[in-house]
Amino acid sequence: MALPLSVSTTGLYSCIRYSTPPNALAFCGPNWNNIQHYRSAGVVDASLKNHLTKYQTLFSYLSFIATENEIVDQFDSRVVQAYWIGNSLLHKMDINHFYYHLKDTLNLKKRLTRSELEQLFGKLPQGALPNHSFHVLNVPWRTGYLPIEHTLETMDECRISWGRVNKVTSIKLEVLSPRLVYDGVVLSLSKPRGYDVSLRVNDLVLEEDVKIGDWVSFHWGMYCDKLTRSEVKYLNYYTNLAINLANEDICSRQHFS
């Protein structure tokens, strides 16, 4: 039985939008057919929450943000926005709690070398915040089923990107979007450039109601959601914050040298 829309169910549906791309590519999460069913039917019910808990890194971060803000539901829409896009909830946390979240809850003490851990933990007092951008750009190994070191390309695809729609077809959007670039010294975001965003994955239509001029978000080249101007500002701010922290140790990543 579908639940009525609420702060919780809105958060659940938003979460599934952002989680669909890596799941469709078999990078993380539960069986794709289960997620595809919910996206196709547009249903938000109690069992969807159970499926989303199987995204281990995602759910760990949502739980951490919710706990630090004394919010009971990990899928509260404010918590979901904080993780994927960014908002003020990120700033209401104890740095020591964040340290143990990274080390023990995410078990990074077993996934990273001692040097990598020291570099990561050194960023906590510099302003590190518990959201998707920080994790993608500052944890050198990709999350999910593939124990692969991040490259410039995968970091750019894995972060939540944004852009303004310039052209719409039945299968894709052409957007103007800042892309992650490396000049041999530091990472930064480029001036907006053309980028194709898919509106379909397999037989699933991700969106039908997008028009020229809309601001949208995307993940692994697939459409996620429409954005308000405030959300665009949030994404820009928190992405650049994560980039600045990543530049503290970028010279140690061999594929950037």
Side-chain angles (χ1 to χ4, degrees):
M1 178 178 178
L3 296 171
L5 288 179
S6 64
V7 170
S8 174
T9 54
T10 300
L12 277 170
Y13 197 65
S14 178
C15 204
I16 199 175
R17 282 176 171 269
Y18 285 93
S19 303
T20 288
N23 185 247
L25 294 170
F27 291 160
C28 59
N31 184 284
W32 161 243
N33 291 329
N34 294 330
I35 297 298
Q36 184 178 25
H37 164 74
Y38 285 103
R39 285 300 306 269
S40 298
V43 171
V44 182
D45 63 17
S47 65
L48 173 58
K49 180 179 291 189
N50 180 58
H51 283 293
L52 289 172
T53 63
K54 296 175 183 177
Y55 290 85
Q56 183 178 7
T57 301
L58 163 66
F59 188 64
S60 295
Y61 269 104
L62 294 179
S63 298
F64 177 75
I65 296 168
T67 298
E68 292 297 290
N69 285 272
E70 300 182 339
I71 296 174
V72 175
D73 183 11
Q74 300 96 331
F75 294 99
D76 182 293
S77 60
R78 297 165 295 173
V79 174
V80 171
Q81 184 192 57
Y83 174 70
W84 289 113
I85 295 174
N87 63 31
S88 61
L89 296 190
L90 297 176
H91 302 271
K92 299 175 183 177
M93 61 136 190
D94 184 296
I95 191 172
N96 293 314
H97 295 171
F98 192 23
Y99 167 81
Y100 287 109
H101 164 75
L102 294 170
K103 184 172 75 76
D104 297 327
T105 306
L106 294 181
N107 207 24
L108 293 184
K109 62 185 177 183
K110 292 186 177 180
R111 296 183 55 203
L112 303 182
T113 65
R114 181 174 180 178
S115 175
E116 289 169 339
L117 279 174
E118 289 176 351
Q119 289 175 334
L120 182 64
F121 295 151
K123 298 177 184 184
L124 301 189
Q126 298 178 47
L129 296 172
N131 74 335
H132 185 73
S133 293
F134 169 75
H135 192 94
V136 168
L137 293 165
N138 290 276
V139 177
W141 294 84
R142 284 165 56 178
T143 295
Y145 302 130
L146 304 175
I148 300 172
E149 191 173 11
H150 262 307
T151 64
L152 179 67
E153 180 182 5
T154 60
M155 287 196 300
D156 199 30
E157 292 296 314
C158 190
R159 72 182 178 90
I160 304 302
S161 298
W162 67 94
R164 196 167 192 181
V165 178
N166 193 46
K167 183 178 179 180
V168 181
T169 74
S170 61
I171 60 172
K172 68 180 182 180
L173 306 173
E174 179 186 285
V175 303
L176 294 176
S177 170
R179 310 309 305 156
L180 189 67
V181 294
Y182 180 61
D183 66 2
V185 180
V186 295
L187 293 168
S188 63
L189 291 178
S190 71
K191 292 182 179 180
R193 60 177 66 163
Y195 186 93
D196 288 340
V197 176
S198 177
L199 287 173
R200 295 176 182 271
V201 52
N202 299 332
D203 296 325
L204 175 65
V205 178
L206 299 175
E207 182 62 50
E208 295 179 330
D209 185 29
V210 182
K211 61 183 183 299
I212 293 173
D214 284 344
W215 288 95
V216 299
S217 56
F218 52 98
H219 192 191
W220 289 103
M222 301 178 201
Y223 174 88
C224 293
D225 208 353
K226 290 183 182 180
L227 298 172
T228 65
R229 288 189 177 273
S230 293
E231 288 173 323
V232 172
K233 290 180 180 178
Y234 280 144
L235 265 176
N236 183 63
Y237 174 79
Y238 290 105
T239 301
N240 275 293
L241 176 62
I243 289 172
N244 291 338
L245 290 169
N247 282 328
E248 294 294 324
D249 66 354
I250 206 68
C251 62
S252 67
R253 301 195 191 184
Q254 295 180 357
H255 51 276
F256 290 140
S257 49

